[in-house]
Amino acid sequence: MVGVVSLVIAAIVGLSVPADEATGLKSAVCRILHPLSGAEACSSGDYAGDEGGGDDGGGGGGGGPDDPFVPNGDPFEPARCLLSQDQTKDTVVIQIVFIKISSSETVKLQQWSDGTVTLERVNETSGGVTASISAGIPGLKDWGGSAKLSGTFLAGSGNGGQWLFNGHKSDDPQADLEANLKDAQQFAAYLKANDGCKFQSGYNPGAAMGACAQDAASKKPDLAPELAPDVDITKTSIEASGNASFGGKFKGGGKGGKGDGPKDLGKISGEVLNGTMTEDVVVMRSHSGPNAGKITFIYTFTVKGSAGAGGVATGEKMQQVSVTYDAAAYDQEEKDGAAHRPEKLLITTSQEAGDGTGLKIEAGANAGPVTIDVGGGGGSTKSQIHTESAEVILDNDTDSTIVEDWLRGKGNPAKNPLPSPSDAAEVPDSDASDLERLLHDKGKLSRLDYNANTDWWNASLGIGFGLSAGQISLGFKIFGIEMTHESKNQTITGNPTYATGPKSGGARPWVEWKNCTQTKPIPT
């Protein structure tokens, strides 16, 4: 775990991660999670193909779950794109000695260019271990300067749902978007009020039927969906993280001020580096809407981090694979032990870089070996996100088998563990894999750019215990609680493009994505 955390911090400080390095980090995590299967299973692709999860990163551009028509006369143009996304995440972390337990809720409100809106809510609980080591800085010994490196490893699971708002349908997607967004915002307010009623009643359904429930019901939109979501979401995640902080200790005289040695009175420190590596597996089972009867597995690998105190630079790289099956057929194939037949493949990559202002500090007071720490901070970051997507509808056995073999590490492997959507527009090399040729010949390729604004705040309280041996000290919390809130809005910008079908010579030129530019995002 220490080795993985060190790799995370080293890779992230540069704010970009080469593809081979990201793959190496993913392989390291796989070997930790699957020590009995070893490196061979991790490199074979069996691990990545077993179950699914994650988030859509910068927002996919590959169209909806099914493209019911050929837009603008070009079968290679995706039907829709993500225009805007508002995301809030609230996290509470409790630490008892070396054990960490985390609980979070993430809510996403997404606007799509075809006039539809989706509302997604996922609750997740994680558990794991954490540790830290600190050392004095020789040049600042008299002042008490010190540096600390901390690492955490968490594994979690969660569930939630996604609601689709597409009740308003006309020839004007802009008007549809405005009406559907209003319904979604009203329904989000209803869900929040309904949760408050459950809390007040102690989760007693009878008590929740009173005035509080009536007030919550009054917030329902005219076209309110059922409480049951259109899509059920289950999620598992693995996270390795690390951070570094620098600070100093407050020194006092000896007992009674008689000079019998300095006494530690407390400390103050600030975080200057942090990095996180996350692997998510999300399973989305659709009950209604255009994707009814489908099951989608989403595998997401993300490396991100920030550096700086006061002025913060951030970076993130995401790689994601989404595979859709017929749910009934998939369940039967699982039961029979038969090979699966995927119906759609979507590969999405994104890179984000930005900067802003922010500060996270911790102050503490000592009572012998026991310390009481209070921390907090906040900040705001502006960043740019570049997203690329490649979507393939698998409408025959040959294409379906190519994708399933690739997921399982069989057949003719791709040169890159995850082929780049942008590279798929170029003429394939003579040694291109079956998957790379499939993406080039039939993939719907798209590129999008977003501007993003992120606001966050953090507060913590901890009771710790420390032991020192010269310059090195080992400290841990007996108990701690930490709360974090993050709000992020991303809005499409620039000129969305997609790649047309192969032209003379085999290349696929990039052109204006009209299905993406026909509708403008609505500020929220």
Side-chain angles (χ1 to χ4, degrees):
M1 185 189 73
V2 172
V4 171
V5 171
S6 300
L7 282 172
V8 171
I9 293 179
I12 287 172
V13 170
L15 301 183
S16 65
V17 183
D20 56 347
E21 188 170 359
T23 302
L25 291 172
K26 185 178 189 301
S27 177
V29 173
C30 180
R31 288 193 292 271
I32 290 172
L33 301 179
H34 299 265
L36 299 181
S37 58
E40 181 178 352
C42 291
S43 61
S44 69
D46 290 341
Y47 168 61
D50 287 342
E51 293 188 24
D55 166 332
D56 66 352
D66 286 308
D67 290 340
F69 59 95
V70 178
N72 298 322
D74 187 349
F76 287 93
E77 180 175 3
R80 67 174 188 171
C81 69
L82 179 66
L83 297 175
S84 175
Q85 175 175 284
D86 290 293
Q87 175 178 301
T88 59
K89 183 175 183 179
D90 292 286
T91 305
V92 177
V93 178
I94 295 177
Q95 180 177 338
I96 303 175
V97 192
F98 295 109
I99 304 301
K100 262 192 175 182
I101 301 172
S102 172
S103 177
S104 66
E105 179 184 70
T106 303
V107 178
K108 294 180 185 178
L109 183 65
Q110 298 175 314
Q111 301 178 34
W112 299 87
S113 61
D114 62 352
T116 61
V117 176
T118 53
L119 174 66
E120 182 178 306
R121 184 171 68 167
V122 175
N123 293 289
E124 185 175 5
T125 301
S126 304
V129 296
T130 184
S132 64
I133 187 170
S134 60
I137 301 175
L140 301 176
K141 184 176 180 181
D142 293 338
W143 180 68
S146 63
K148 182 174 74 172
L149 175 67
S150 300
T152 300
F153 188 83
L154 296 172
S157 62
N159 58 77
Q162 183 185 88
W163 289 265
L164 173 65
F165 295 84
N166 64 347
H168 299 278
K169 297 179 180 179
S170 69
D171 294 332
D172 185 356
Q174 188 70 51
D176 293 343
L177 181 63
E178 294 178 3
N180 289 323
L181 178 60
K182 182 179 179 181
D183 286 343
Q185 290 172 326
Q186 288 182 339
F187 187 70
Y190 163 64
L191 288 178
K192 185 175 182 179
N194 195 57
D195 289 344
C197 292
K198 291 180 180 179
F199 177 79
Q200 290 180 25
S201 64
Y203 294 92
N204 182 339
M209 294 300 291
C212 181
Q214 293 178 6
D215 180 65
S218 68
K219 294 180 171 61
K220 285 185 179 180
D222 294 335
L223 298 175
E226 300 294 330
L227 269 176
D230 297 287
V231 181
D232 287 335
I233 298 174
T234 57
K235 177 180 181 180
T236 60
S237 63
I238 301 295
E239 177 182 302
S241 62
N243 66 72
S245 60
F246 296 89
K249 298 178 180 179
F250 299 108
K251 299 283 188 176
K255 295 181 179 179
K258 297 181 180 180
D260 52 351
K263 180 181 179 181
D264 288 342
L265 300 179
K267 66 177 182 179
I268 184 169
S269 61
E271 182 178 88
V272 295
L273 292 173
N274 72 75
T276 303
M277 178 175 61
T278 307
E279 184 170 317
D280 293 331
V281 178
V282 167
V283 182
M284 304 183 72
R285 189 178 287 266
S286 301
H287 303 292
S288 55
N291 235 6
K294 307 294 183 183
I295 184 170
T296 299
F297 296 84
I298 308 172
Y299 314 88
T300 308
F301 178 66
T302 306
V303 180
K304 62 181 179 180
S306 63
V312 179
T314 63
E316 176 177 323
K317 183 168 184 177
M318 185 276 296
Q319 297 175 322
Q320 183 182 85
V321 175
S322 172
V323 190
T324 300
Y325 304 83
D326 178 85
Y330 182 91
D331 293 340
Q332 188 62 45
E333 290 158 0
E334 282 286 281
K335 183 179 179 180
D336 298 339
H340 296 302
R341 295 166 55 87
E343 296 183 347
K344 188 181 78 169
L345 170 69
L346 174 62
I347 294 175
T348 304
T349 64
S350 74
Q351 296 192 50
E352 179 175 0
D355 54 45
T357 58
L359 184 64
K360 185 177 180 181
I361 61 174
E362 183 179 86
N366 298 340
V370 177
T371 62
I372 299 176
D373 298 323
V374 177
S380 179
T381 302
K382 292 184 177 181
S383 57
Q384 292 75 45
I385 305 172
H386 176 72
T387 300
E388 298 182 357
S389 295
E391 177 192 68
V392 183
I393 303 300
L394 309 172
D395 54 6
N396 61 77
D397 291 342
T398 300
D399 294 346
S400 183
T401 300
I402 289 174
V403 170
E404 186 67 15
D405 285 349
W406 173 67
L407 291 171
R408 303 294 173 179
K410 303 176 182 178
N412 181 16
K415 294 187 294 295
N416 294 321
L418 188 69
S420 164
S422 186
D423 289 345
E426 304 297 329
V427 180
D429 296 332
S430 58
D431 60 345
S433 69
D434 294 337
L435 178 66
E436 290 167 326
R437 291 187 179 278
L438 177 62
L439 292 176
H440 173 268
D441 295 343
K442 298 183 178 181
K444 296 182 178 181
L445 312 177
S446 57
R447 299 191 297 202
L448 294 167
D449 292 298
Y450 297 89
N451 283 333
N453 295 311
T454 304
D455 296 309
W456 62 274
W457 60 261
N458 169 274
S460 63
L461 173 66
I463 300 174
F465 186 85
L467 298 174
S468 299
Q471 290 283 357
I472 303 298
S473 62
L474 175 65
F476 58 90
K477 289 183 180 179
I478 300 173
F479 173 81
I481 184 169
E482 181 176 6
M483 294 178 290
T484 303
H485 173 84
E486 182 181 277
S487 177
K488 182 175 183 178
N489 168 266
Q490 65 181 62
T491 305
I492 195 168
T493 185
N495 300 309
T497 57
Y498 78 98
T500 66
K503 303 299 181 182
S504 177
R508 299 182 56 181
W510 295 91
V511 299
E512 179 188 354
W513 186 359
K514 296 180 180 179
N515 276 331
C516 190
T517 57
Q518 66 180 350
T519 314
K520 304 301 180 184
I522 300 172
T524 58

